[in-house]
Amino acid sequence: MRLFSPDLYRNFAIGFAVGALALGVANAGTGPEAQPEPIETSAVAAPIAADFRITPLEVA
């Protein structure tokens, strides 16, 4: 039995076609649930508290 026989290429082609078809079916959709969700607004950081301090780390 040869390693790179024509059956190997045929099986890769069939697997690729079946996988592409499965992805297409999984991603296909109709109706409102198929529409992408709107992009949220950008994040806004909270104001820094007046007593916020970064203290040095005590290394022994």
Side-chain angles (χ1 to χ4, degrees):
M1 182 177 185
R2 293 180 5 189
L3 179 61
F4 296 109
S5 66
D7 291 338
L8 177 72
Y9 299 116
R10 185 179 322 127
N11 288 335
F12 271 114
I14 291 171
F16 182 81
V18 169
L21 182 64
L23 281 174
V25 168
N27 289 326
T30 58
E33 67 275 356
Q35 301 299 320
E37 296 201 14
I39 297 174
E40 299 293 330
T41 59
S42 60
V44 178
I48 297 176
D51 59 344
F52 177 76
R53 286 187 210 99
I54 297 177
T55 57
L57 182 62
E58 298 289 331
V59 179

